[in-house]
Amino acid sequence: MRSILLLDPTAKIFSLREKALYFLLAAFFISLGLPDMPVVQNVVIGGIVVLSLFYNPFREKARLLKDRKEIVLMLLFFLMHIVSVFFSVNRDEAMKMLALRAPLLVFPLTIGLLYIRNGLKERILLAFSIIITLISVACLVYAIHRYRQFNDTGHLYDDSLTLLIHMQSIYFAMFVNMALFSYIYLLRKKSFAIEYIGLAYLSIAFLLVFHFMLASRIAIIILYSVFLVYGMIYIVRRRKYLEGSVVILGLIIGAVLLVKFFPKTMNRFNELNYPGYQFNNHGVESHYNMDLTADQWNGANIRLAVWKCGRELAAKYWLLGAQLGDKQDRLTDVYRSKGFDFAIDTHRNMHNNYLDIFCTFGVIGFLIFLLGYLVIPLRKAIREPDTLAVIILLSLAVAMLTETYMDRTIGCLMLGFFLSFISAAQDPKTA
């Protein structure tokens, strides 16, 4: 507790401005679990903006901006949004999307122009991990209450599990992924930020179970792929074949047990057995809490059908894009031409962040996004080297294959903050 409140002896090294930044970011993490309270989150973000203005001299900000090409490209990418508003026919939709994507400007301009030294970075990561753990506990308690109230185990899975915080499980599952990666990173470094190692391991065990109950296919694939790849690299580099094999075997056994005790999660994966679709199908959408049949729409075939429509739109607007306010209207036109009434009725977006950007801004905007959000940050993280940053960047890169993160406020908050935080935590001498 002393560590999380910066009351331990080692916290004396932090300046007043560093402590203020720490507590404001902790408040921001807490706000992620406060549904229907946007005013609180906006006030906290406003505090971060004000503090960032005076955190370091403008001369230093200018130097950091010059060195951090990824931040320049992030700002250029948002500038394309502003320009696109004026070229959009549907100006109301364009303004709505511009406001929704404001975190993609706010965080690079604030956090992205600071330098967060390693000790503070570790405290921030620990605060994030603990807060996500506590939010997860609260979600589970509420889900158990609803399960007992309705006698339906379906309340213990997927979006029902995050009903308390009104957040889609796929996004919260990614926050849980990052909390797990942060815990393991801090434990591997034997960070002074962690006072109670046993409690950290207990949190990891709880989050692994909770994460599986969230039933997000892509988040589960990302998490266990990272564990497997990292385990294999560790075995080869350290030549600890027996120890590594035991750990991997433990993960496999753990996964088998999770499947046994939480079978409804597998319904999300069983959807992959039904990839076929007809655009004019008026069947119902499958649910993890019901039997799967071939005539249903499901998470797999919906995406395949939407992506086909998105590719047609991308081919038509490949150079300059369909523009921010008109992209969804043009996509709906493609749906209508194919008789894809299900997608029209459910207002389906691209379900792929890359395809969405390509259709909105064309090939130029797409390349700016790739360079600023993935290629340059990843290259710097590898060169640093910063293993945690590499894992987070690759995780986000994969997650954006199946969801349009920039069509959701929580997705923009996640991308804007973590990309800026990764840049801010890099040593300016090596950045």
Side-chain angles (χ1 to χ4, degrees):
M1 180 61 74
R2 292 184 307 161
S3 177
I4 198 68
L5 295 176
L6 301 185
L7 297 176
D8 57 302
T10 57
K12 293 180 180 180
I13 64 171
F14 300 129
S15 65
L16 182 61
R17 64 180 182 177
E18 289 177 315
K19 291 180 179 179
L21 178 63
Y22 169 84
F23 285 113
L24 278 172
L25 291 181
F28 168 66
F29 301 147
I30 292 172
S31 75
L32 297 173
L34 299 177
D36 304 322
M37 299 180 69
V39 173
V40 174
Q41 189 170 82
N42 290 337
V43 169
V44 172
I45 293 176
I48 294 172
V49 171
V50 172
L51 176 63
S52 298
L53 286 174
F54 304 100
Y55 192 88
N56 54 345
F58 283 94
R59 182 167 52 188
E60 181 180 330
K61 293 181 187 294
R63 181 177 60 80
L64 290 172
L65 182 61
K66 181 181 178 181
D67 293 337
R68 294 172 178 172
K69 300 297 188 297
E70 69 277 17
I71 298 296
V72 174
L73 289 170
M74 288 180 206
L75 297 177
L76 179 59
F77 180 66
F78 193 82
L79 179 61
M80 293 189 71
H81 285 70
I82 298 174
V83 172
S84 184
V85 169
F86 295 99
F87 286 94
S88 297
V89 175
N90 190 341
R91 191 70 58 82
D92 290 340
E93 175 67 11
M95 291 301 297
K96 174 186 171 184
M97 293 304 299
L98 186 67
L100 185 150
R101 297 186 181 188
L104 303 180
L105 171 68
V106 172
F107 285 115
L109 270 181
T110 55
I111 304 299
L113 298 183
L114 307 181
Y115 168 53
I116 298 175
R117 52 182 173 152
N118 191 61
L120 183 60
K121 167 191 168 182
E122 293 181 5
R123 297 301 179 104
I124 292 171
L125 289 173
L126 180 62
F128 168 76
S129 301
I130 291 175
I131 290 167
I132 292 298
T133 303
L134 293 176
I135 293 174
S136 300
V137 171
C139 286
L140 181 60
V141 170
Y142 183 69
I144 291 174
H145 165 71
R146 289 180 59 81
Y147 155 67
R148 295 180 64 181
Q149 182 180 4
F150 297 101
N151 194 30
D152 182 0
T153 56
H155 291 289
L156 301 176
Y157 294 85
D158 202 61
D159 290 344
S160 296
L161 193 55
T162 54
L163 185 63
L164 177 66
I165 58 174
H166 298 178
M167 187 187 300
Q168 286 182 282
S169 62
I170 187 170
Y171 293 103
F172 194 70
M174 284 302 296
F175 281 127
V176 173
N177 271 2
M178 294 178 192
L180 284 165
F181 298 149
S182 298
Y183 271 133
I184 294 170
Y185 168 80
L186 294 172
L187 287 168
R188 289 283 301 138
K189 285 196 67 178
K190 298 181 180 179
S191 171
F192 288 108
I194 297 184
E195 285 185 285
Y196 306 104
I197 295 178
L199 192 58
Y201 280 111
L202 181 62
S203 297
I204 290 172
F206 165 75
L207 287 179
L208 284 172
V209 176
F210 183 82
H211 182 271
F212 194 78
M213 295 168 69
L214 286 170
S216 167
R217 282 188 302 255
I218 194 67
I220 290 173
I221 290 171
I222 289 170
L223 181 67
Y224 289 94
S225 295
V226 168
F227 284 164
L228 185 61
V229 172
Y230 185 80
M232 295 298 293
I233 292 174
Y234 179 82
I235 290 172
V236 172
R237 285 186 175 179
R238 301 294 180 91
R239 297 184 180 180
K240 295 187 177 181
Y241 302 105
L242 179 61
E243 179 184 336
S245 299
V246 169
V247 172
I248 291 176
L249 180 61
L251 285 172
I252 295 173
I253 293 173
V256 170
L257 291 174
L258 287 172
V259 171
K260 180 176 178 61
F261 285 105
F262 304 103
K264 290 185 185 295
T265 294
M266 293 312 298
N267 256 12
R268 298 281 290 132
F269 285 91
N270 290 336
E271 291 176 353
L272 300 175
N273 294 322
Y274 301 95
Y277 64 87
Q278 294 293 329
F279 284 115
N280 60 0
N281 178 17
H282 288 83
V284 299
E285 184 174 358
S286 68
H287 190 266
Y288 63 90
N289 206 27
M290 63 188 288
D291 293 331
L292 291 171
T293 59
D295 62 336
Q296 296 169 341
W297 285 106
N298 60 62
N301 60 16
I302 289 172
R303 284 169 171 78
L304 291 174
V306 168
W307 292 343
K308 182 175 177 59
C309 296
R311 288 195 299 270
E312 289 190 17
L313 189 64
K316 185 176 181 180
Y317 294 97
W318 68 272
L319 183 58
L320 298 176
Q323 303 308 316
L324 188 63
D326 305 328
K327 173 258 304 179
Q328 191 63 36
D329 292 340
R330 299 291 80 76
L331 180 61
T332 301
D333 290 341
V334 178
Y335 291 159
R336 192 173 291 111
S337 70
K338 295 183 177 298
F340 196 2
D341 295 334
F342 174 83
I344 296 173
D345 295 340
T346 55
H347 307 287
R348 293 287 168 170
N349 62 21
M350 294 285 183
H351 282 289
N352 183 300
N353 208 75
Y354 304 102
L355 190 57
D356 179 271
I357 292 167
F358 198 105
C359 289
T360 304
F361 301 112
V363 65
I364 298 174
F366 179 72
L367 291 175
I368 290 173
F369 169 78
L370 278 185
L371 288 171
Y373 279 78
L374 295 174
V375 176
I376 294 177
L378 189 58
R379 185 190 56 159
K380 286 187 174 183
I382 293 172
R383 189 175 61 187
E384 181 97 349
D386 187 342
T387 304
L388 180 61
V390 171
I391 291 173
I392 289 176
L393 288 167
L394 289 177
S395 297
L396 289 172
V398 174
M400 286 189 287
L401 288 170
T402 58
E403 292 296 328
T404 307
Y405 268 59
M406 291 183 179
D407 265 5
R408 296 285 183 271
T409 300
I410 192 64
C412 292
L413 287 169
M414 188 185 300
L415 290 175
F417 173 76
F418 278 100
L419 269 294
S420 302
F421 180 74
I422 286 172
S423 290
Q426 290 177 342
D427 189 336
K429 295 178 182 178
T430 60

